[in-house]
Amino acid sequence: MTDTIRPGGLWVYCERGGGGVRPVAFELLGQAARLAKAMGCPVTAALVGNPEGAESLARYGADAVLCAACDADQPDELVQAGALAALVEKYRPAALLLGATAFGRSLAPRLAARLNTGLTADCTGLDVDPETGLLLQTRPAFGGNLMATIVCPDRRPQMATVRPKVFPVPAPDMTRSCPVIVEQSPAAESAVELIERIASGGGVNIGDADVLVSVGQGIGGAENIALAEKLAKKLGGALSASRPLVDAGALPYARQVGQTGKTVSPRLYIALGISGAIQHMAGVAAQTIVAVNTDPDAPIFRYAQYAVRCDCGAFLREMMERIGN
Amino acid sequence: MKIIVCVKQVPASNETRLDPVTHTIIREGAEAILNPFDAFAVEEAVRLKARYGGSVSALTMGIPASATMLRRVIAVGADEAILLTDRAFAGSDTLATARTLACAVKKAGLPDLILCGRMATDGDTAQVGPMLAENLGLPHVSDAAQIESIEGGALTARRLTDDGYARVRVKLPTLITVLKEINVPRLPSIAGILRGEEAKITVWNHGDLGLDPEETGLKGSATRVVKTARPDLSVKAEIISGAPGEQAAALIERLAAKRLIETEGRA
């Protein structure tokens, strides 16, 4: 049974949170299935906590599930780094991918330092070098001005956090199943105690949204922001903003997109009155961008698939007229 | 309470020159600033010192010219500053950087609290803080939006999570990375600027840290940048023209065709 977790495998860490496995794990399992073919190795889903229901991860591409059983019911970097390090040292994977969620980006560096291996942050592209078999990890740097491809040639595992929603969730194959191997994880005391959770920004995580209607300095007043939020709701999405509006107090920080805010990867990003400075665009990895702006020279038009030179208020009213109410 | 605040000098602009062989940043000769996120960490350190007493030491690794940035950090309230500078440190990835910083923290004496900005604006990795905590065997809290209090050997903070915020309590000593919403950094006073200019900056090299040159810099790094490319910004948008009503209608039609929006039969 443990033959499915022989050394040299490709692992995907499956973070739990928000009431289940976070969707980025499914996205990564889908990619791992593709990469593992090139690497000639199986895909293992690694998780910490309770193994219940974990066999369903096979549907997304896992050939085996490895669970470090512990009773920690809260995400805790120290506890999880200890549990995962023990699994890695026992089973010696070639590579380990983690979702670049807030928790993933806090856990992964801790784990990499413990394992004394390389870690690439917030990748948006993954491939395998056909000659060396190394994982090619591509990520934006300098606020998105540069794409860098990074390898970890000598140390194992090769580790990367991968930005959510860059890759699609694969269609689940309900016929697949896989073994679940449970390892008792070493006892680790948590040093961080959770006092309470506070939902914010109306409980909306703009990083999870499929559609974002995003407002910038050119939105033109609070009534237009309210209209933008209505449009966002109508499209099944959420309202986000660029930095100047957040700095001005028009919207909370949790809604800020960009290098100093959140990175988002919606299918559709409608930018209203956003100039498109590189620091803003560094946070946007959208499938389709619509730019609405009165300034024909706004840099946002270089990133957009659809350019609408129009006053935001007029545009919003016409949009709501056609799809709203 | 003893606080160490980790700071980094970053290019003032995101238009940066890279070494064509190693793909690392050419930092010499480029205009540089204090990493914007670190300004919040410095301010928080100075505020905590005002509240709880103690001292604030700034720590950086960088080129010799980073001393100027450290003087500005002293100008806004840090008591002293340590500069780690050595050709042997050049080209460090996050793992090698955290290892080098950990040696310096141990040499300076483990503080009660280490503060870091959530990330630097050149690398955008947000990795060095948690790695440093791990190397020092300390717990960490990343993305703190507020430090509420420090009482009874524990710090209470509000951190940003994927689902909102969480209030957490962590035992000291600890490492906290901070978000920009934590405070509004002050500007230096004239007296502060003079204090910064007169301050003696402690300078350490790899020998001072007892660090094998194989363990730091490019040699001590686990990762290699093998390729860099400018993202393709040549994508030309389709311009949707006409009166606002026509524009909205045309856009809805295109987005519906790509199944990006539902039109409920109202094309």
Side-chain angles (χ1 to χ4, degrees):
Chain A
M1 206 67 145
T2 49
D3 189 49
T4 35
I5 314 182
R6 62 176 192 265
L10 175 55
W11 287 17
V12 173
Y13 166 71
C14 298
E15 179 190 339
R16 286 185 165 128
V21 171
R22 291 211 187 264
V24 66
F26 305 136
E27 298 157 21
L28 293 189
L29 284 169
Q31 287 307 298
R34 171 180 72 87
L35 299 165
K37 270 187 203 141
M39 292 167 70
C41 70
V43 174
T44 297
L47 57 126
V48 179
N50 180 346
E52 203 176 305
E55 64 278 357
S56 65
L57 292 167
R59 297 169 188 166
Y60 298 93
D63 298 309
V65 173
L66 189 50
C67 178
C70 70
D71 49 13
D73 56 340
Q74 307 298 344
D76 182 300
E77 291 89 343
L78 267 175
V79 172
Q80 296 220 4
L84 290 167
L87 294 185
V88 167
E89 278 156 8
K90 180 164 181 184
Y91 292 100
R92 309 217 160 269
L96 168 58
L97 307 177
L98 305 91
T101 58
F103 180 69
R105 289 190 72 176
S106 185
L107 167 68
R110 211 160 181 123
L111 180 59
R114 187 164 298 194
L115 297 168
N116 197 20
T117 191
L119 172 64
T120 305
D122 204 26
C123 294
T124 54
L126 292 169
D127 257 305
V128 176
D129 185 324
E131 282 170 26
T132 59
L134 290 174
L135 190 63
L136 298 172
Q137 309 157 25
T138 300
R139 66 180 301 262
F142 299 106
N145 251 344
L146 201 69
M147 297 302 290
T149 301
I150 293 163
V151 297
C152 179
D154 304 317
R155 305 192 203 190
R156 295 292 176 270
Q158 307 161 76
M159 284 179 62
T161 59
V162 183
R163 191 181 288 189
K165 286 188 170 276
V166 171
F167 299 110
V169 172
D173 178 351
M174 304 311 265
T175 65
R176 284 197 92 214
S177 65
C178 73
V180 177
I181 294 132
V182 180
E183 292 275 348
Q184 207 53 45
S185 65
E189 199 186 335
S190 169
V192 182
E193 174 201 347
L194 177 72
I195 304 169
E196 63 171 328
R197 288 178 222 273
I198 308 161
S200 75
V204 173
N205 180 1
I206 58 170
D208 284 342
D210 272 335
V211 176
L212 280 176
V213 177
S214 202
V215 295
Q217 257 177 322
I219 184 66
E223 68 281 8
N224 287 353
I225 295 177
L227 260 182
E229 181 152 36
K230 272 190 193 161
L231 177 63
K233 283 200 177 126
K234 194 70 202 171
L235 299 178
L239 180 71
S240 58
S242 66
R243 178 178 165 171
L245 280 195
V246 172
D247 283 353
L251 282 155
Y253 177 66
R255 300 273 185 166
Q256 184 182 322
V257 172
Q259 192 184 23
T260 59
K262 281 197 176 172
T263 55
V264 297
S265 314
R267 295 176 67 227
L268 175 61
Y269 189 79
I270 302 180
L272 299 168
I274 291 177
S275 67
I278 187 92
Q279 290 80 1
H280 180 77
M281 300 316 297
V284 184
Q287 203 180 87
T288 299
I289 296 176
V290 175
V292 182
N293 210 300
T294 50
D295 174 8
D297 298 323
I300 187 81
F301 290 130
R302 287 191 284 146
Y303 300 89
Q305 279 74 54
Y306 299 108
V308 183
R309 288 176 199 161
C310 183
D311 171 76
C312 291
F315 172 81
L316 280 167
R317 286 187 292 276
E318 294 294 346
M319 285 295 281
M320 290 307 291
E321 182 115 327
R322 281 164 180 79
I323 58 171
N325 309 319
Chain B
M1 191 173 61
K2 193 174 170 214
I3 302 173
I4 290 181
V5 56
C6 296
V7 294
K8 185 184 187 187
Q9 181 172 287
V10 298
S13 156
N14 280 326
E15 305 288 342
T16 301
R17 291 181 304 140
L18 294 183
D19 184 306
V21 178
T22 63
H23 299 281
T24 55
I25 310 168
I26 298 174
R27 296 187 188 273
E28 286 79 6
E31 196 200 334
I33 56 168
L34 170 66
N35 171 40
F37 285 100
D38 297 345
F40 303 104
V42 169
E43 176 65 27
E44 198 62 20
V46 172
R47 288 185 189 196
L48 290 172
K49 180 191 152 188
R51 235 168 116 184
Y52 299 107
S55 66
V56 175
S57 305
L59 171 64
T60 196
M61 181 174 99
I63 59 174
S66 306
T68 309
M69 170 195 71
L70 290 175
R71 293 186 189 285
R72 288 187 197 131
V73 172
I74 291 173
V76 291
D79 299 288
E80 57 166 18
I82 303 165
L83 168 60
L84 311 180
T85 194
D86 194 324
R87 289 306 305 170
F89 299 154
S92 290
D93 69 357
T94 55
L95 191 74
T97 301
R99 183 184 299 126
T100 308
L101 291 174
C103 288
V105 170
K106 284 178 193 158
K107 184 177 166 72
L110 193 66
D112 302 294
L113 177 63
I114 300 175
L115 290 171
C116 303
R118 92 167 280 254
M119 65 178 189
T121 53
D122 50 0
D124 294 348
T125 73
Q127 288 178 179
V128 170
M131 283 180 165
L132 176 59
E134 174 64 26
N135 289 344
L136 293 168
L138 302 181
H140 81 276
V141 174
S142 46
D143 301 340
Q146 188 188 3
I147 293 177
E148 293 178 11
S149 64
I150 300 176
E151 280 166 6
L155 178 151
T156 304
R158 189 164 54 88
R159 79 190 295 186
L160 190 66
T161 70
D162 290 299
D163 310 303
Y165 292 91
R167 287 180 67 224
V168 295
R169 188 176 296 125
V170 59
K171 291 170 204 151
L172 299 181
T174 186
L175 182 147
I176 311 282
T177 77
V178 306
L179 298 176
K180 70 167 200 166
E181 63 178 315
I182 196 163
N183 59 43
V184 179
R186 73 194 67 190
L187 293 170
S189 64
I190 304 282
I193 290 170
L194 291 174
R195 195 169 62 243
E197 282 176 1
E198 287 159 9
K200 186 183 177 301
I201 308 284
T202 304
V203 180
W204 289 338
N205 62 23
H206 78 270
D208 296 319
L209 299 181
L211 192 60
D212 184 339
E214 301 289 319
E215 289 183 279
T216 185
L218 203 56
K219 284 183 190 164
S221 294
T223 55
R224 292 282 179 277
V225 179
V226 289
K227 196 176 96 183
T228 52
R230 301 275 166 199
D232 180 16
L233 292 181
S234 66
V235 181
K236 291 283 171 282
E238 179 190 348
I239 295 166
I240 297 180
S241 51
E246 294 162 356
Q247 288 175 310
L251 181 67
I252 289 166
E253 190 182 304
R254 281 159 179 76
L255 296 181
K258 288 176 83 175
R259 297 184 179 278
L260 290 165
I261 61 172
E262 305 276 337
T263 54
E264 296 165 17
R266 243 190 290 196

